[in-house]
């Protein structure tokens, strides 16, 4: 079991692929993933009407005493609107950013980082429809971008790469290499490239 701890924030209307793919990849690498609902309910329904059961509600996370190596935000609309409307979410992001905890956001979720004021001075990417809504130091048209402690990716189609890249950012490169092979991701890329 890895000693790494990851907090995944789920809001109603989250993008299911972006949440489940990353959670699955991290858990396959034995990372302790805690899925937190930002609402008063443990069950959170995504933008395509798939419901996930969270491990904990955000109200029970103590941002001053609970240590995580990474905080991850899936995108999805209206999920990102709900994340950005939560002062607890924004406070958590600001505090963990101040502590240089890794913060990952995919698709529309980099906009939540923008709302928290933590994209300044960073390079980032997002879903193309959110490019004009975020104002990093530099916008990158890349699958995955790491800029200091800020990790961003573009959308549902890049979710698996996001999961593997998060493992690498956590220092679990060997797990990322193994899972890319075991999950047939390398095979897919090889076949698509031919």
């Amino acid at each position: 079991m890895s000693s790494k701890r990851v907090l995944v924030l789920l809001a109603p209307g989250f993008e299911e692929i972006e949440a489940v793919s990353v959670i699955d990849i991290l858990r396959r690498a034995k990372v302790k993933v805690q899925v937190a609902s930002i609402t008063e309910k443990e069950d959170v329904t995504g933008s395509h009407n798939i419901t996930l059961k969270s491990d904990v509600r955000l109200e029970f996370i103590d941002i001053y005493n609970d240590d995580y190596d990474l905080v991850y935000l899936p995108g999805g609309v209206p999920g990102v609107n709900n994340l950005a409307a939560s002062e607890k979410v924004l406070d958590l992001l600001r505090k963990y950013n101040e502590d240089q905890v890794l913060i990952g956001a995919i698709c529309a979720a980099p906009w939540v980082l923008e709302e928290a004021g933590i994209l300044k001075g960073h390079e980032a990417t997002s879903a193309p429809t959110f490019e004009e809504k975020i104002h990093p130091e530099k916008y990158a048209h890349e699958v995955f971008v790491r800029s200091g402690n800020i990790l961003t990716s573009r959308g549902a189609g890049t979710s698996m790469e996001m999961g593997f890249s998060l493992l690498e950012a956590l220092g679990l490169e060997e797990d990322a290499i193994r899972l890319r092979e075991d999950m047939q991701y390398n095979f897919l890329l090889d076949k698509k490239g031919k």
Side-chain angles (χ1 to χ4, degrees):
M1 182 72 129
S2 170
S3 63
K4 301 295 184 180
R5 296 185 73 220
V6 174
L7 179 65
V8 177
L9 300 180
L10 288 189
F14 69 93
E15 168 52 58
E16 294 92 337
I17 290 174
E18 296 165 3
V20 174
S21 295
V22 171
I23 292 166
D24 179 275
I25 288 168
L26 293 173
R27 286 188 173 165
R28 284 176 191 246
K30 307 295 188 222
V31 172
K32 182 170 175 29
V33 179
Q34 193 166 38
V35 179
S37 166
I38 73 159
T39 72
E40 295 177 359
K41 296 180 181 179
E42 289 182 359
D43 293 342
V44 187
T45 302
S47 60
H48 300 98
N49 210 30
I50 298 171
T51 301
L52 296 183
K53 182 175 174 55
S54 66
D55 301 311
V56 66
R57 295 197 322 261
L58 183 58
E59 66 183 292
F60 298 119
I61 302 290
D62 180 349
I63 65 174
Y64 296 99
N65 294 304
D66 289 340
D67 293 326
Y68 294 95
D69 298 289
L70 184 146
V71 176
Y72 174 69
L73 284 69
V77 176
V80 294
N81 299 331
N82 293 322
L83 289 169
S86 167
E87 275 307 314
K88 176 106 178 173
V89 168
L90 298 179
D91 287 346
L92 179 146
L93 291 172
R94 291 177 191 124
K95 171 69 170 100
Y96 286 142
N97 183 61
E98 184 180 300
D99 293 345
Q100 288 297 295
V101 170
L102 295 171
I103 298 174
I106 191 169
C107 194
W111 174 68
V112 182
L113 308 187
E114 174 76 27
E115 292 295 295
I118 64 173
L119 276 186
K120 292 178 182 76
H122 287 284
E123 183 176 358
T125 193
S126 69
T129 53
F130 275 74
E131 181 175 348
E132 299 300 320
K133 296 180 181 180
I134 66 171
H135 303 93
E137 183 78 19
K138 179 182 177 195
Y139 188 89
H141 295 270
E142 301 292 338
V143 171
F144 174 82
V145 176
R146 179 171 186 174
S147 178
N149 67 312
I150 302 295
L151 316 165
T152 54
S153 190
R154 293 184 63 86
T158 65
S159 296
M160 288 185 73
E161 182 59 36
M162 181 64 156
F164 300 132
S165 296
L166 293 180
L167 286 177
E168 292 169 351
L170 288 165
L172 302 172
E173 294 90 353
E174 289 182 17
D175 289 301
I177 291 167
R178 176 181 54 81
L179 289 172
R180 276 187 166 104
E181 193 63 33
D182 290 353
M183 295 175 76
Q184 298 298 295
Y185 187 72
N186 291 338
F187 177 79
L188 169 70
L189 295 181
D190 287 345
K191 288 297 184 183
K192 289 296 283 181
K194 291 182 179 177

